[in-house]
Amino acid sequence: MEMLVPILAAAVRSGTPILYATLGEILTERSGILNLGLEGLMLVGAFTGFSVASGTGNAWLGIAAAFLAGCLLALVHAFLCITGRANQVVSGLALTMFGTGLSSLLGRGFIGETIPGIGGMTIPLLSKIPVLGPTFFDQDPLVYLSYGLAVFLTWFLWSTRAGLALRAVGDAPRVVDAMGLSSTRLRYLYAVIGGGIVAMGGAYMSVVYTKMWGDLMTAGRGWIAVALVIFAVWHPLRAVGGAYLFGGVGALQLRIQAAGTSIPAPLLLMLPYVFTIFVLFVISVRKGKGILLGAPASLGQPYHREERD
């Protein structure tokens, strides 16, 4: 069992950027807004975090700047989809293309540079627990923050009045307006915050995980997060297990390559995406049997309070 510990610990680190992206998208989709621009948000977050950390020498400022950059991009998406009532799928895809191109253009001068980043932080006592300790409690601060964020969002969604309002605006925005709350304001708020959390996942890649900038370094993790939101049934705690499962697949293919296997490298690189296709297949089967529950009823549907049904 001890031989599995390095792989499990690597799965947690590899799954953390996916987890941030998934949690941010869950928050966004719970408000009824679909954002398919996660890949673009993560890349902009990765570049912003790295460039600010490199320029200031403070990695935490880089993480904060990435969050703000994600909020700004998500605000554009929110304006188009909420105020402009644009097609949410098209707007999200445009956000991905914009973020990909912008990060590649601005990041050309940073390719190959490295930064100290954020180091590990072992938690006393808990890290001594066999297997679980080295896996979950001998990590970096942003990994621990992701644990807390998943727990907080779960508590927030199901144990607070604000969380109830968030779930309601994703299911029945007209009812929320009738209660005296503003569906528009709530959708703007959570779409923007969700985008900032997604961008933190990208910043984790460049500031903590690799401590360097590389073009297109998120490598499709944003798209994996889109699938994982559905796989987790829009539940933050289920997203944790799913993210680490995907992270484990990615970490495993790297271990297999390092071991000098005769399997062609391109086939190993396909593993996370083959697994994503398998997950989507499982989702489709569950949905066909009526098992898939939890999707916000008004997800992706434009809403204007002056319109009548």
Side-chain angles (χ1 to χ4, degrees):
M1 194 66 179
E2 292 297 327
M3 296 178 62
L4 289 176
V5 169
I7 298 177
L8 294 174
V12 172
R13 287 190 293 272
S14 180
T16 295
I18 302 174
L19 177 57
Y20 274 108
T22 304
L23 293 176
E25 182 65 4
I26 287 175
L27 195 63
T28 300
E29 293 193 11
R30 279 288 178 183
S31 72
I33 301 299
L34 176 65
N35 189 350
L36 296 182
L38 304 194
E39 188 75 3
L41 284 169
M42 290 186 75
L43 283 168
V44 169
F47 167 74
T48 303
F50 183 85
S51 60
V52 171
S54 176
T56 64
N58 190 320
W60 288 105
L61 279 180
I63 299 296
F67 176 80
L68 291 176
C71 287
L72 289 175
L73 274 183
L75 179 60
V76 175
H77 177 69
F79 175 78
L80 292 173
C81 297
I82 300 172
T83 302
R85 286 183 284 175
N87 185 292
Q88 296 182 18
V89 173
V90 174
S91 178
L93 294 176
L95 188 59
T96 285
M97 291 185 285
F98 174 78
T100 301
L102 182 66
S103 63
S104 295
L105 176 65
L106 299 179
R108 288 181 300 179
F110 291 92
I111 293 177
E113 286 192 20
T114 59
I115 57 174
I118 297 175
M121 185 178 75
T122 301
I123 297 181
L125 299 180
L126 292 178
S127 62
K128 302 300 182 182
I129 301 173
V131 182
L132 294 179
T135 300
F136 294 105
F137 302 110
D138 190 10
Q139 299 285 355
D140 58 79
L142 279 178
V143 170
Y144 304 138
L145 181 61
S146 70
Y147 301 161
L149 182 60
V151 173
F152 170 78
L153 288 180
T154 301
W155 169 80
F156 176 79
L157 284 168
W158 282 278
S159 300
T160 68
R161 294 188 63 176
L164 176 62
L166 169 57
R167 288 185 288 128
V169 80
D171 288 327
R174 199 171 301 281
V175 173
V176 173
D177 280 332
M179 294 170 57
L181 300 174
S182 173
S183 294
T184 299
R185 289 179 183 175
L186 288 174
R187 285 188 163 186
Y188 262 106
L189 175 64
Y190 293 112
V192 169
I193 294 176
I197 295 173
V198 172
M200 286 179 64
Y204 182 87
M205 289 287 300
S206 60
V207 177
V208 184
Y209 191 59
T210 64
K211 296 181 176 64
M212 63 178 294
W213 167 254
D215 194 25
L216 305 178
M217 66 186 305
T218 54
R221 286 174 174 83
W223 296 111
I224 292 176
V226 171
L228 184 54
V229 170
I230 308 172
F231 182 71
V233 201
W234 292 268
H235 195 293
L237 287 184
R238 290 174 183 161
V240 175
Y244 294 159
L245 191 59
F246 277 101
V249 173
L252 183 62
Q253 62 93 4
L254 291 175
R255 292 271 175 171
I256 294 174
Q257 287 187 68
T261 178
S262 59
I263 302 174
L267 289 179
L268 293 175
L269 292 172
M270 287 169 55
L271 279 179
Y273 310 106
V274 171
F275 189 64
T276 304
I277 294 172
F278 172 73
V279 166
L280 290 172
F281 172 75
V282 172
I283 291 169
S284 299
V285 171
R286 291 171 62 187
K287 187 174 182 180
K289 293 181 178 179
I291 300 174
L292 188 62
L293 301 172
S298 296
L299 179 62
Q301 300 175 12
Y303 166 72
H304 192 267
R305 66 182 301 168
E306 302 302 327
E307 291 182 345
R308 299 290 182 182
D309 291 332

